[in-house]
Each structure stands twice: as structure tokens, then as C-alpha cells.
Amino acid sequence: MAIASIPTQKGAAPRSMTRDEKRLIFASGLGTVFEWYDFYLYLTLAGVMGPHFFGHLPAWKAELFILLAAVCSFLVRPVGALVFGRLGDLVGRKYTFLLTILIMGGATFLVGLLPGYAFIGTAAPTLLIVARLLQGLAIGGEYGGAAVFVAEHAPEGRRGLFTSFIQATATLGLFVSIVVVLTTRWLFGEAAFASFGWRAPFLLSAGLLGLSLFIRLSLNESPVFARMKAEGRASRRPLRDAFGNWRNLRRVLVALFGLTMGQGVVWYAGQVYALSYMQSTLRVDAFTAMVLMAWAMALASGFFVAFGVASDHIGRKPILMFGCLAFALGAAPVFAQIAEIANPALAHAHRAVAVTVVADPAGCGELLSLADAKRPTTSCDVARELLSSHSVEFRRVAGPPGVPAVVRIAARQPDAKEKPVEIAAFDAAAVEDPPAARAALLDKIFAALEAAGYPPLDAQTAVRVAHPFDVLRAQPAEIIGLLFLLVLFVAMVYGPLAAALVEMFPARVRYTSVSLPYHIGNGWFGGVTPAVAFAIMAHTGNLLSGLWYPIAVAATTFVIGVFLLPDSRAPDSKDAGAEAA
């Protein structure tokens, strides 16, 4: 059945979407659901999957290598953008994003089938990395294909509306993954889930893949591309036309630094890092954190479409830039308020207890290096990593050269009679059993912290919900409201994004030109947000300092975008190649 672009005449009343248009959007959006469903599954289950694929390593290092495999997926996404973007501009949108969904869905399903290290040794992690690389390559071409395909089918003046559904499905993918993980954990029980049940969420993706392929096969090629192809105006050298032409290359650079770079960090900070922040920094249990975030996503999901529709009327640029600015100004206060409400006892301890790491600056290095998957070894780094990973706020001051770091704990009141407690850290190379030494150091530090006013590590002081609907009490409801604000920032920068990107480039090199800046901005700048945030937080000791990176990037994008980002709402009649690449 043909799906044609039906222009809306000026002054005519808006019409409802046809059945074919709804099917088009549904089929295209399933790929974005897949992408984020897989991403969050992998991130959530890293601790469970680590022993299966890296069983010969300590648990912490196994989890780290699982996450590094995910980093590989991010690194190759721009390569996929070039490979599949070129293919989409050469042979067509439909068949290219049929291929990407097949590879992407197959790679997700494959993870659920892979045997572990105990069965095939080092072949297990090797196959896992191969699956992640395939996933990253396919994702590199999937988003651009879906965005371009839907935009080129959209009636004139409704491109923001049509493509906003693609944007909304990204949050839907995160939401579905949370629901699936919670449900399968409950059905299997924790022990069985850790043993084999973790495979079920990956295997369930087969149904989503089958549905995606079935519907996409019934769609017709983009009318814009079909018209260009018939008239002989399609690009024969998409990569050269897209990146070897300064006029188009300039658009690519503006799209990256004035749009997708900021969008990427707002997305990851507002949803992924916020979830991690509640669990790792505020000591909220995983179930409660997932339930609160799921409610916030559900309540805010309609705003992705609302901002897309608004961009059809007032332009893409005002909404996108306001979203970046709102995040840059509002993220820190929102995160601070979440901390106050989610764990009041911990927030009070941060104000009441002064923790200082006195260390030789020469012994304080970088706590996160993707090239070095080792525990911190110097006394300064051991102390900082231990404090940061256990939600302790501290400051660092310079100590005498060559002397091991000391953790100093004292009440903040100036008239306090108690003397500060000082606990010496250790160099890992100087002790026989670093893990045992680290556990002993942790016990000493927390004995002093608890005496000074910190809640015990095993104390249930954070917000807690008993079931998914136990959220009508003031504490969880207020947190959901704050998380809703963060997701609202995400909706502002993501809802109109696809339409804005599509309209920046001529149709003949559009697939290639859209895909590359999106995946560099979203994957490289945005994807590293949780890791960079932890590294900054551990380096400074300030539990809100992890936001410096996404705030700085969002603010930079705002400045660049205000001056350089165009705000075109080009009708389909201008897309068929009238512009030279």
C-alpha cells in the first residue's frame, strides 16, 4: 500500500494522520526503541553479566570490562553513520534501514544466546565485543534512516510532529527496558536471574525484531528519494558531496557543535546519569530508582511530541536552544534538591561533617582511564575512589611530598571540641592483599564517619517504594516531579531534533549528513557523560561536580547554536535536490 506525502494547504484545517502514516511512524520508531532498550539493558545488567563473560577476573574488573565493551559500541557508531549513510543516499532509505534494524536486533538477541567464559573461555568475551561492535555499527545508520524516512514522508508543515514520535520512542525504549528488567527479576528471583534469567530481556527482543521487519517490508521508499532517483539527481558520491564540499561540511559542523553535542549531554545527564546518581550517590535502591524514573518518563513522554508540534509553528531553533539553556541553568539546582529529598540523612551529613583528603598532589592522578582498567594504586587515589564510590563528599588539600594520604574527618562547627580523626590510606603496591586492605580502610573510615554523623552504609535512610504504584506519598512524588523536570529538558532538545537535522541538509546527501553529527554528538559527547561525571566527582570530592561537564557542553552548544544554527522549516517541495550539496 503506497504511503504518499499529502501536503497540507495553507489555511486548511489540520487533518488527522492516516492509517498508513501511523504505520510508517510506528515502523520507524521501533528502531529507536530497540537502540535504547538494548543500551539500558546492557548498562543495567553489567554487574550480572560480568562474571559470565569475564569469569577469570575479579568482580569489579569484570563489570568494568563489560562497560568498556559498551564503549566500543559508541566509538564505532560514526563509522556506521558513514557506511550506512552512504548506502542510504546511494540505494535508498527503506532498504538501508531494513538492513540496520536486522543487524541491530540480531546483535541484541545474540547477547542472550552467547555461552559464558566457563564454557568457551576467552571466546566468550570476544564474541560479546563482536556483538557490541555490530550493534554500534548498525545504530550508526539506524537513527539517520528513521529520521530521514519519516521526515520525507511527512506532509508539508507537519515534519516536527511526524519526527517527534521517533524522538519519543527513545524514552519509550528506556521505559520498556526498566519494566522488563523489573518484571524478569521478580519472575525469576534474584538468584536465578543472576544465573541465567538475565538472558530473558535480550531474548525477548526477538519479538520486537520480527515485528519491525514485518512492518518495514510493507513500506514504500521515501517519495523524495524516489523522485530524485527517477530524475537522475541523486548523489553518486555521497561522502565526497557531504564532507568534501565546504558549504555542506560547515552545516555538519554546526549541527554537531551547535545542536547534537548539547542534545547528547542533556539526554544522558537528564535520564541515564540521573538514574545512576540516585543509586550510586544517594544510596537509593535499584528498584525504587527505576520506578521513580519510569514514572517521570511516562509523565513527560507526551512532551516530546508537544515540542515537535510546537516547532512546526514557532521554529525548531527557539525550542532547542531554550532546552540547552534551561538545562545549563536548572540541572544543578534540580539534582541538589533530589539529593535533599531522596536521602535527607545523607544530605544532612554532607553539611555537618567535613571530610578532607590530605595528599601529595604528585600522587593524585586520574581516577578514570579507558586505557587502564586497574584499581587506583596510590594512597591519594585509593582514598578518593573509596570516598566517592560510597557517597562521601570531601575536599582535597595538598600534603607533604612522599607522605601517604590521610583522610581527615571532623564536625564542621567551629566550636567543636572533638579533635579531627585522621586515618592513613595506603599504596596498593605496599600491601600484600590490596582488597583486604581496602575493606579494612573502608571500615575505619565509616566508623569515624558514623561517629561524626554519617548514616551507616547499611542503613535504610533513602526513599523507598514497595511497589510501582507506591508513589503517592510526598517523598517519592516530589522526586518524580524533579525527575520530570529533567526529562522535560530532554524533551525540549530531543523532540524537534530530527526535523531540525533533516532540514539542515539537501536531500541528495541527507542520510549521510544527518547520521554523522548525530552519532558523534549523541554517542561521543553524550555517551561518556556518566563516566566523565564520576571521574570529575571523584577528583573534586563534590558530589554535584559531575554536572560540570554536561552543563558546560550544553552552554557551549547554546552559544554556538544561537549564532550559527539555522531555523529552516523547509517544505517537501524544496527537498528533492533543488539545493546543490
Side-chain angles (χ1 to χ4, degrees):
M1 186 180 296
I3 301 177
S5 175
I6 306 173
T8 303
Q9 300 297 327
K10 285 187 176 181
R15 62 163 176 78
S16 300
M17 284 188 185
T18 67
R19 180 180 178 183
D20 287 341
E21 289 168 345
K22 292 177 181 177
R23 190 179 69 202
L24 162 76
I25 293 171
F26 180 70
S28 303
L30 284 174
T32 312
V33 172
F34 233 127
E35 173 186 347
W36 292 102
Y37 174 83
D38 172 271
F39 167 78
Y40 189 68
L41 279 187
Y42 194 85
L43 185 70
T44 305
L45 302 178
V48 177
M49 294 167 60
H52 290 274
F53 293 101
F54 297 95
H56 58 303
L57 299 176
W60 68 267
K61 186 173 285 189
E63 182 175 352
L64 180 58
F65 273 97
I66 284 285
L67 294 175
L68 288 177
V71 171
C72 293
S73 173
F74 280 109
L75 293 178
V76 300
R77 287 187 184 188
V79 178
L82 294 175
V83 172
F84 292 108
R86 175 181 179 275
L87 196 62
D89 284 327
L90 277 175
V91 304
R93 316 331 192 182
K94 172 185 173 178
Y95 293 105
T96 302
F97 92 146
L98 266 174
L99 181 60
T100 58
I101 192 69
L102 179 61
I103 297 173
M104 187 170 67
T108 300
F109 180 74
L110 179 62
V111 172
L113 295 177
L114 291 177
Y117 184 87
F119 292 95
I120 59 174
T122 55
T126 301
L127 289 174
L128 177 67
I129 291 172
V130 169
R132 301 317 299 172
L133 290 174
L134 288 173
Q135 178 82 9
L137 285 170
I139 289 175
E142 171 62 29
Y143 176 83
V148 170
F149 193 73
V150 170
E152 291 181 347
H153 275 95
E156 185 172 321
R158 306 188 75 190
R159 193 175 266 164
L161 167 64
F162 274 51
T163 58
S164 66
F165 286 99
I166 303 296
Q167 309 305 100
T169 55
T171 293
L172 178 61
L174 291 176
F175 178 81
V176 170
S177 67
I178 290 174
V179 172
V180 170
V181 169
L182 290 176
T183 302
T184 50
R185 279 184 182 273
W186 175 72
L187 289 174
F188 285 100
E190 288 299 324
F193 185 84
S195 176
F196 61 86
W198 63 269
R199 298 178 181 274
F202 290 99
L203 297 176
L204 288 172
S205 67
L208 190 60
L209 174 60
L211 180 62
S212 300
L213 289 173
F214 175 77
I215 298 179
R216 287 190 179 192
L217 283 169
S218 67
L219 301 178
N220 286 342
E221 180 56 89
S222 153
V224 174
F225 181 84
R227 187 163 64 249
M228 281 195 310
K229 198 76 172 176
E231 296 172 357
R233 289 186 281 113
S235 175
R236 298 180 181 180
R237 303 169 301 176
L239 295 180
R240 182 180 296 182
D241 290 343
F243 308 118
N245 179 311
W246 169 243
R247 183 182 178 189
N248 200 75
L249 179 59
R250 181 182 180 278
R251 294 171 182 163
V252 171
L253 295 174
V254 171
L256 172 58
F257 296 108
L259 183 53
T260 63
M261 180 177 74
Q263 171 271 315
V265 297
V266 173
W267 167 273
Y268 279 91
Q271 297 185 143
V272 179
Y273 179 62
L275 189 60
S276 172
Y277 178 79
M278 284 193 292
Q279 296 178 70
S280 302
T281 304
L282 304 182
R283 304 186 190 175
V284 179
D285 68 275
F287 176 81
T288 297
M290 289 183 188
V291 167
L292 298 177
M293 181 56 78
W295 274 107
M297 289 177 176
L299 292 172
S301 60
F303 285 90
F304 288 84
V305 177
F307 288 124
V309 173
S311 74
D312 282 331
H313 298 282
I314 65 175
R316 326 292 183 204
K317 181 175 177 176
I319 298 172
L320 292 163
M321 293 301 98
F322 183 77
C324 286
L325 180 62
F327 176 86
L329 297 177
V334 170
F335 272 79
Q337 193 62 22
I338 290 173
E340 290 288 336
I341 298 172
N343 197 333
L346 185 61
H348 173 75
H350 291 157
R351 293 190 297 271
V353 182
V355 181
T356 307
V357 176
V358 183
D360 177 5
C364 299
E366 297 298 328
L367 288 179
L368 181 69
S369 171
L370 298 181
D372 184 13
K374 296 187 295 184
R375 279 279 193 191
T377 56
T378 68
S379 59
C380 175
D381 291 350
V382 166
R384 289 187 298 152
E385 190 268 346
L386 188 149
L387 293 171
S388 296
S389 60
H390 290 84
S391 310
V392 180
E393 196 161 70
F394 64 92
R395 66 186 183 94
R396 180 164 61 93
V397 299
V403 177
V406 171
V407 178
R408 183 181 295 157
I409 300 169
R412 290 189 186 274
Q413 294 89 339
D415 58 346
K417 297 179 181 179
E418 297 84 0
K419 291 184 178 180
V421 176
E422 294 190 348
I423 302 169
F426 63 89
D427 287 326
V431 297
E432 293 184 1
D433 189 351
R438 188 176 184 276
L441 178 60
L442 179 64
D443 290 340
K444 289 180 183 179
I445 289 175
F446 261 90
L449 286 172
E450 290 170 24
Y454 259 78
L457 276 177
D458 56 355
Q460 297 292 337
T461 59
V463 61
R464 193 176 185 88
V465 298
H467 54 78
F469 297 97
D470 181 27
V471 294
L472 298 180
R473 295 176 286 114
Q475 188 182 24
E478 289 174 7
I479 296 171
I480 290 173
L482 292 166
L483 293 173
F484 169 83
L485 281 178
L486 293 177
V487 183
L488 196 65
F489 297 154
V490 175
M492 289 181 197
V493 300
Y494 204 60
L497 177 70
L501 284 172
V502 166
E503 290 166 353
M504 287 185 70
F505 303 103
R508 61 198 303 267
V509 290
R510 180 174 287 156
Y511 202 139
T512 306
S513 301
V514 165
S515 297
L516 188 64
Y518 173 80
H519 285 291
I520 293 178
N522 200 276
W524 289 8
F525 284 94
V528 302
T529 297
V532 171
F534 172 78
I536 296 174
M537 183 179 69
H539 184 78
T540 64
N542 185 329
L543 299 185
L544 285 175
S545 64
L547 293 170
W548 294 352
Y549 168 73
I551 287 174
V553 173
T556 302
T557 290
F558 171 76
V559 173
I560 295 173
V562 164
F563 289 101
L564 299 179
L565 188 71
D567 190 18
S568 61
R569 282 169 282 169
D572 289 341
S573 59
K574 295 181 182 178
D575 286 345
E579 296 182 62

